[in-house]
Amino acid sequence: MKKVPVLETFGPTIQGEGMVIGQKTMFLRTGGCDYRCSWCDSAFTWDGSQKPDLMEAEEIIEQLKKQGGDVFNHVTISGGNPALHSGLAEVISQLQSLGIKTAVETQGTMWQDWMREIDDVTISPKPPSSGMETNWDQLDMYVNELLERPGKDISLKVVIFDEADLAYAANVHERYPQVEMFLQTGNDQLETSNNGWLLSHLLEKYEWLVEKVLRSERLNEVKVLPQLHTLLWGNKQGV
């Protein structure tokens, strides 16, 4: 049985992003990422500043139940990029056997067959401000694979920092018009501990993004979201 590098488990909390925003959930955050986004808000998953524990599926489930007790039935698998880890297949299988739903977010670069079993998959390709380049053939494969899952959900989410990101998001939306799409404001102030100031700053960015989308002929079907957990808790980790 393959072990999974786990950086943290926490919750219950609420999901702050994407199609299940507001969902009560536990979080399982894995280590490692194949990207190095310039504005990554979870760089500790890959920059060596925090060390993961290698855990078997049973240990992970036990830890989630110890922290969450009987007040959760949803687990979000996050990263880094969780799709690096084949060992999550057993974790997902055990969660399903307990009647617990699962969600995951990935940039759509690395495929694992367990992706087909996740209830809510968010694909978050990275826009120009990230400094990363999109492999469109790989992204096409990801979308096509995940559309063939009856009773399970798929969505796209792009984080927006500037006009170039907005144009990129429009291209993604037009490439995959059959997939529900969310745009989200990016947090460009990852070091501040002044939560009041950060709240005001991010709401201004959210207003800017809403106004841009309202005027766009290319983005009529998207949903525009803030990063809810950042509005509530700022840059605090583990909430």
Side-chain angles (χ1 to χ4, degrees):
M1 185 179 297
K2 292 184 179 179
K3 295 186 176 182
V4 179
V6 177
L7 275 167
E8 59 180 350
T9 58
F10 60 91
T13 184
I14 59 167
Q15 172 58 260
E17 305 179 354
M19 63 176 163
V20 289
I21 190 168
Q23 170 71 50
K24 181 180 177 182
T25 188
M26 294 292 291
F27 267 84
L28 163 61
R29 188 184 298 280
T30 61
C33 192
D34 51 319
Y35 269 19
R36 298 292 184 267
C37 295
S38 61
W39 36 252
C40 179
D41 61 1
S42 304
F44 60 88
T45 61
W46 50 261
D47 66 6
S49 61
Q50 297 186 30
K51 301 298 183 184
D53 294 322
L54 291 175
M55 302 176 67
E56 294 185 350
E58 289 81 0
E59 296 176 288
I60 294 171
I61 302 300
E62 182 180 351
Q63 186 160 305
L64 288 167
K65 291 171 70 175
K66 182 178 180 181
Q67 291 174 323
D70 297 323
V71 294
F72 76 97
N73 64 357
H74 188 278
V75 173
T76 299
I77 304 171
S78 185
N81 184 3
L84 292 173
H85 309 302
S86 60
L88 284 167
E90 182 61 26
V91 177
I92 294 158
S93 176
Q94 290 193 28
L95 288 171
Q96 289 178 330
S97 71
L98 294 169
I100 296 172
K101 292 185 176 181
T102 53
V104 73
E105 180 175 320
T106 177
Q107 57 263 43
T109 55
M110 309 288 291
W111 176 259
Q112 297 286 348
D113 286 342
W114 54 254
M115 278 285 171
R116 297 191 184 94
E117 307 306 318
I118 298 283
D119 294 289
D120 304 306
V121 178
T122 297
I123 306 174
S124 183
K126 306 309 178 187
S129 63
S130 71
M132 302 293 104
E133 290 191 14
T134 300
N135 182 330
W136 294 104
D137 290 339
Q138 181 73 3
L139 195 57
D140 288 347
M141 181 278 289
Y142 237 92
V143 170
N144 291 333
E145 286 283 349
L146 294 173
L147 282 172
E148 301 298 322
R149 307 180 314 144
K152 297 183 183 296
D153 291 325
I154 170 181
S155 69
L156 288 157
K157 186 196 78 177
V158 178
V159 179
I160 305 296
F161 285 85
D162 55 33
E163 295 274 3
D165 290 354
L166 202 59
Y168 172 89
N171 290 336
V172 173
H173 185 46
E174 290 169 350
R175 191 179 185 97
Y176 310 110
Q178 72 276 44
V179 181
E180 189 174 28
M181 186 167 184
F182 298 84
L183 303 187
Q184 179 183 295
T185 49
N187 180 4
D188 58 359
Q189 300 293 328
L190 298 175
E191 303 302 322
T192 185
S193 59
N194 187 335
N195 289 353
W197 177 86
L198 182 61
L199 173 62
S200 177
H201 174 71
L202 292 178
L203 286 175
E204 287 181 5
K205 289 174 65 66
Y206 182 50
E207 184 179 13
W208 172 85
L209 180 56
V210 167
E211 290 298 326
K212 288 292 183 181
V213 171
L214 293 179
R215 295 191 185 98
S216 172
E217 296 179 359
R218 303 176 66 194
L219 294 167
N220 288 340
E221 298 293 330
V222 306
K223 297 178 175 64
V224 189
L225 299 178
Q227 197 177 45
L228 188 58
H229 59 284
T230 307
L231 297 182
L232 289 171
W233 298 298
N235 289 317
K236 184 178 180 181
Q237 183 181 335
V239 291

